Every structure is written in structure tokens, then in C-alpha cells.
Amino acid sequence: MLVPLIALAYHYGPGQERLALEHTDDLLAESQAAVADENWPEAIRLYQDALAKLPKEKTQISRKIQLEIAKAKMQNSQLPEAREELAALAAEIQSDPYASPELKQQVTSTLANARYYMTYLMKLEGKPDAEWEPEIEAARQEYKLLAQNSQAGSKHLLDLEATIRLARATPKELYGLPIPSQ
């Protein structure tokens, strides 16, 4: 007689969190399929839905989803918005002593990429040095940190070199070149 009562208590107690996690998993699978199809608006929407369904105490998963949203926004021509979100996420992660080192590296790398592309676009637009120099300097420092602390140091060294070349390039040298892709 108590079995239905226990099942009901589980369903409305810990079972709700499990249902939310299962629904989040389904949304994440759909969003990854949208990324594979390069359907960036759909991927962003699905990632945001998954983030909204995720229980608040799942901060590690939440941060991974936020990173994926920012990556999709970068691909969807929303670079300035993605860069701001990445900067906020990086600050949040750096202040958390329990954040995983892998996630810290992924966020730092993605933020450095966003800063690099922002600088490239600002230079093409002919913005004054005072506007783009802080971005490229921050990207340079982030790539240097990643190269020193990462297993994939050679990739980050190449990114660091590209950042230095971009900082030295004049807008005339950039005209006519294809905009770098990720």
C-alpha cells in the first residue's frame, strides 16, 4: 500500500530534477545536431532552451552550455554579443576555485578567438588604434597563457603569432584578404 505513495513522493521530489535533466539532454542532442547542420539560429535557440530547463545547481553544465551558445553566436554573425558573454563567463569561471581547468582553457581560448576576430573587424573598419589595441593585447595575453599552460601549446603558439601579425598589420594590408574563419 505504501508503494504508490513512495512512487508519488519520488515523482514530485527528486524525480522532477531527473525529468528536467532528461529534457535538457534531449535539447542538447537536438542543438548538437543543429550545430552539425550549421543551423546556428536553431542551435542558439535550443541551447538557450536547454539552459533554461537546467536546474540552477548544475553550474558546470550551465557554463558549458553558455560556452556553446557563445560559439554558435560567433558563427551566426553575433560576434560582439558573444564576446561580451564570453568575457563575463571567463570572469565568473576565474573567480570559481571549483571550476574545471579544461573548461577554463576552453573559455579562455574561445574568448581569445573572439577578441582576435573583433580586432580584425575593427581594423578593417578603420577604427582608431585606441579602440582595437586593448582587444588584441588581451587576445595576445590569453594566447600566451594558453600556450604556456596547455597540452596543445603549439596550436596556441600559432594563434599567438597570428595575433602579433594582426597587431602589426595595417588596414591596407588586410583589404582584399578573406576574413579569417574559425
Side-chain angles (χ1 to χ4, degrees):
M1 239 172 160
L2 289 175
V3 172
L5 184 61
I6 293 171
L8 193 64
Y10 177 78
H11 176 72
Y12 286 106
Q16 290 301 310
E17 181 179 328
R18 187 172 182 88
L19 283 174
L21 289 174
E22 287 175 5
H23 189 64
T24 301
D25 284 344
D26 293 342
L27 288 169
L28 289 175
E30 289 178 42
S31 59
Q32 290 167 351
V35 166
D37 293 339
E38 296 183 4
N39 185 352
W40 306 117
E42 182 70 7
I44 293 168
R45 184 188 67 74
L46 289 166
Y47 277 130
Q48 289 172 337
D49 289 349
L51 188 61
K53 300 278 187 212
L54 192 67
K56 299 290 185 221
E57 63 273 359
K58 302 291 184 185
T59 56
Q60 197 74 0
I61 298 169
S62 171
R63 289 173 178 163
K64 287 179 183 178
I65 294 172
Q66 289 172 359
L67 175 61
E68 293 304 319
I69 290 170
K71 287 179 181 179
K73 284 183 177 182
M74 288 173 63
Q75 295 291 340
N76 195 40
S77 302
Q78 297 174 358
L79 182 59
E81 183 180 337
R83 190 215 142 307
E84 287 177 17
E85 291 172 5
L86 284 166
L89 182 59
E92 178 184 327
I93 289 175
Q94 293 303 328
S95 67
D96 182 2
Y98 301 109
S100 77
E102 297 85 25
L103 184 61
K104 284 182 181 181
Q105 282 189 342
Q106 289 175 352
V107 170
T108 303
S109 177
T110 306
L111 178 58
N113 289 341
R115 290 182 192 277
Y116 176 86
Y117 294 115
M118 284 291 296
T119 301
Y120 196 97
L121 294 176
M122 285 192 277
K123 286 187 89 161
L124 279 179
E125 292 173 0
K127 300 275 184 183
D129 294 359
E131 286 187 41
W132 59 262
E133 280 180 343
E135 283 294 306
I136 199 67
E137 181 60 22
R140 186 192 65 75
Q141 291 176 5
E142 288 161 348
Y143 283 134
K144 182 178 178 183
L145 178 70
L146 287 166
Q148 291 171 344
N149 299 333
S150 172
Q151 306 296 351
S154 61
K155 180 212 178 300
H156 296 301
L157 280 175
L158 292 174
D159 292 337
L160 178 60
E161 290 173 13
T163 303
I164 293 169
R165 280 194 305 276
L166 177 61
R168 293 179 179 167
T170 64
K172 287 183 181 181
E173 293 172 332
L174 300 177
Y175 294 143
L177 294 177
I179 295 177
S181 64
Q182 298 186 26

Coordinates of all heavy atoms in Angstrom, one line a residue, residues 144-175:
K144 N 49.1 33.6 -25.0 CA 50.4 33.3 -24.4 C 50.1 32.4 -23.2 O 50.9 31.4 -23.0 CB 51.1 34.6 -24.0 CG 52.4 34.4 -23.4 CD 53.1 35.7 -23.0 CE 54.4 35.5 -22.4 NZ 55.1 36.7 -22.0
L145 N 49.2 32.8 -22.3 CA 48.8 32.0 -21.2 C 48.4 30.5 -21.6 O 48.9 29.6 -21.0 CB 47.7 32.6 -20.4 CG 47.2 31.9 -19.1 CD1 48.3 32.0 -18.0 CD2 45.9 32.5 -18.6
L146 N 47.6 30.4 -22.6 CA 47.2 29.1 -23.1 C 48.4 28.3 -23.6 O 48.5 27.1 -23.3 CB 46.1 29.2 -24.2 CG 44.8 29.7 -23.7 CD1 43.9 30.1 -24.8 CD2 44.1 28.6 -22.9
A147 N 49.3 29.0 -24.3 CA 50.5 28.3 -24.9 C 51.3 27.7 -23.7 O 51.9 26.7 -23.9 CB 51.2 29.2 -25.8
Q148 N 51.4 28.5 -22.7 CA 52.3 28.1 -21.5 C 51.7 27.0 -20.7 O 52.4 26.1 -20.2 CB 52.6 29.3 -20.6 CG 53.4 30.3 -21.2 CD 53.5 31.6 -20.4 OE1 52.7 31.8 -19.5 NE2 54.5 32.4 -20.7
N149 N 50.3 27.0 -20.6 CA 49.7 26.0 -19.7 C 48.9 24.9 -20.3 O 48.3 24.1 -19.6 CB 48.7 26.8 -18.8 CG 49.4 27.9 -18.0 OD1 50.6 27.7 -17.6 ND2 48.7 28.9 -17.6
S150 N 49.0 24.8 -21.6 CA 48.1 23.8 -22.3 C 48.9 22.7 -22.9 O 50.1 22.8 -23.3 CB 47.3 24.6 -23.4 OG 46.7 23.7 -24.2
Q151 N 48.2 21.6 -23.1 CA 48.8 20.4 -23.8 C 49.0 20.8 -25.3 O 49.9 20.3 -26.0 CB 48.0 19.2 -23.6 CG 47.7 18.8 -22.2 CD 48.9 18.4 -21.4 OE1 50.0 18.3 -21.9 NE2 48.7 18.3 -20.1
A152 N 48.0 21.6 -25.8 CA 48.0 21.9 -27.2 C 48.8 23.3 -27.4 O 48.3 24.2 -28.1 CB 46.6 22.0 -27.8
G153 N 49.9 23.4 -26.8 CA 50.7 24.6 -26.8 C 51.1 25.1 -28.2 O 51.1 26.3 -28.5
S154 N 51.4 24.2 -29.1 CA 51.8 24.6 -30.4 C 50.7 25.3 -31.2 O 50.9 26.2 -31.9 CB 52.3 23.4 -31.2 OG 51.3 22.4 -31.4
K155 N 49.5 24.8 -31.0 CA 48.3 25.5 -31.7 C 48.2 26.9 -31.1 O 48.0 27.8 -31.9 CB 47.0 24.7 -31.4 CG 45.8 25.4 -32.1 CD 44.6 25.1 -31.3 CE 43.3 25.8 -31.9 NZ 43.4 27.2 -31.9
H156 N 48.3 27.0 -29.8 CA 48.2 28.4 -29.2 C 49.4 29.3 -29.6 O 49.2 30.5 -29.7 CB 48.0 28.3 -27.7 CG 46.7 27.5 -27.3 ND1 45.5 28.0 -27.7 CD2 46.5 26.4 -26.6 CE1 44.6 27.2 -27.3 NE2 45.1 26.2 -26.6
L157 N 50.5 28.7 -29.8 CA 51.7 29.5 -30.3 C 51.4 30.0 -31.7 O 51.7 31.2 -31.9 CB 53.0 28.6 -30.3 CG 53.6 28.5 -28.9 CD1 54.8 27.5 -29.1 CD2 54.1 29.8 -28.4
L158 N 50.8 29.2 -32.5 CA 50.4 29.7 -33.8 C 49.4 30.8 -33.7 O 49.5 31.8 -34.5 CB 49.9 28.6 -34.7 CG 50.9 27.5 -35.1 CD1 50.2 26.4 -35.8 CD2 52.0 28.1 -35.9
D159 N 48.4 30.7 -32.8 CA 47.4 31.7 -32.6 C 48.1 33.0 -32.1 O 47.8 34.1 -32.5 CB 46.4 31.3 -31.6 CG 45.5 30.2 -32.2 OD1 45.4 30.0 -33.4 OD2 44.9 29.4 -31.4
L160 N 49.1 32.8 -31.2 CA 49.8 34.0 -30.7 C 50.6 34.7 -31.8 O 50.5 35.9 -31.8 CB 50.8 33.5 -29.6 CG 51.7 34.5 -28.9 CD1 50.8 35.6 -28.2 CD2 52.6 33.9 -27.9
E161 N 51.2 34.0 -32.6 CA 51.9 34.6 -33.8 C 50.9 35.3 -34.7 O 51.2 36.4 -35.1 CB 52.7 33.5 -34.6 CG 53.8 32.9 -33.8 CD 54.5 31.8 -34.6 OE1 54.1 31.6 -35.8 OE2 55.3 31.1 -34.0
A162 N 49.8 34.7 -35.0 CA 48.8 35.4 -35.8 C 48.3 36.7 -35.1 O 48.1 37.7 -35.8 CB 47.6 34.5 -36.1
T163 N 48.2 36.7 -33.8 CA 47.7 37.9 -33.1 C 48.8 39.0 -33.2 O 48.4 40.1 -33.5 CB 47.5 37.5 -31.6 OG1 46.5 36.5 -31.6 CG2 47.0 38.7 -30.8
I164 N 50.0 38.6 -33.1 CA 51.1 39.6 -33.2 C 51.1 40.2 -34.7 O 51.3 41.4 -34.9 CB 52.4 39.0 -32.8 CG1 52.4 38.7 -31.3 CG2 53.6 39.9 -33.2 CD1 53.6 37.8 -30.8
R165 N 51.0 39.3 -35.7 CA 50.9 39.8 -37.0 C 49.7 40.7 -37.3 O 49.9 41.7 -38.0 CB 50.9 38.6 -38.0 CG 52.2 37.9 -38.2 CD 52.2 37.0 -39.5 NE 51.1 36.0 -39.4 CZ 51.2 34.8 -38.8 NH1 52.3 34.5 -38.1 NH2 50.2 34.0 -38.8
L166 N 48.6 40.4 -36.7 CA 47.4 41.2 -36.9 C 47.6 42.6 -36.2 O 47.3 43.6 -36.8 CB 46.2 40.6 -36.3 CG 44.9 41.4 -36.3 CD1 44.5 41.7 -37.8 CD2 43.7 40.6 -35.7
A167 N 48.3 42.6 -35.0 CA 48.5 43.9 -34.4 C 49.4 44.8 -35.2 O 49.3 46.0 -35.2 CB 49.1 43.6 -33.0
R168 N 50.3 44.2 -35.9 CA 51.3 45.0 -36.7 C 50.7 45.3 -38.1 O 51.3 46.2 -38.8 CB 52.6 44.2 -36.9 CG 53.3 44.0 -35.6 CD 54.6 43.2 -35.7 NE 55.3 43.1 -34.5 CZ 56.3 42.3 -34.2 NH1 56.7 41.5 -35.2 NH2 56.9 42.2 -33.1
A169 N 49.7 44.6 -38.6 CA 49.2 44.8 -39.9 C 48.5 46.2 -40.0 O 47.8 46.6 -39.1 CB 48.3 43.7 -40.3
T170 N 48.6 46.8 -41.1 CA 47.8 48.0 -41.4 C 46.5 47.6 -42.1 O 46.4 46.5 -42.7 CB 48.6 48.9 -42.4 OG1 48.7 48.3 -43.6 CG2 50.0 49.3 -41.8
P171 N 45.5 48.5 -42.0 CA 44.2 48.1 -42.6 C 44.4 47.9 -44.1 O 43.7 47.0 -44.7 CB 43.4 49.4 -42.4 CG 43.9 49.9 -41.1 CD 45.4 49.7 -41.2
K172 N 45.3 48.6 -44.8 CA 45.6 48.4 -46.2 C 46.0 46.9 -46.5 O 45.7 46.4 -47.5 CB 46.6 49.4 -46.8 CG 46.0 50.8 -46.9 CD 47.0 51.7 -47.5 CE 46.4 53.1 -47.6 NZ 47.3 54.1 -48.1
E173 N 46.8 46.4 -45.6 CA 47.3 45.0 -45.8 C 46.2 44.0 -45.6 O 46.3 42.9 -46.1 CB 48.4 44.7 -44.7 CG 49.7 45.5 -45.0 CD 50.7 45.3 -43.9 OE1 50.3 45.1 -42.7 OE2 51.9 45.5 -44.2
L174 N 45.1 44.4 -44.9 CA 44.0 43.5 -44.6 C 43.0 43.5 -45.7 O 42.3 42.5 -45.9 CB 43.4 43.8 -43.3 CG 44.3 43.7 -42.0 CD1 43.5 44.1 -40.8 CD2 44.8 42.3 -41.9
Y175 N 42.9 44.7 -46.4 CA 41.9 44.8 -47.5 C 42.2 43.7 -48.6 O 43.3 43.5 -49.0 CB 41.9 46.2 -48.1 CG 41.5 47.3 -47.2 CD1 42.1 48.5 -47.2 CD2 40.5 47.1 -46.3 CE1 41.7 49.5 -46.4 CE2 40.1 48.1 -45.4 CZ 40.7 49.3 -45.5 OH 40.3 50.3 -44.6

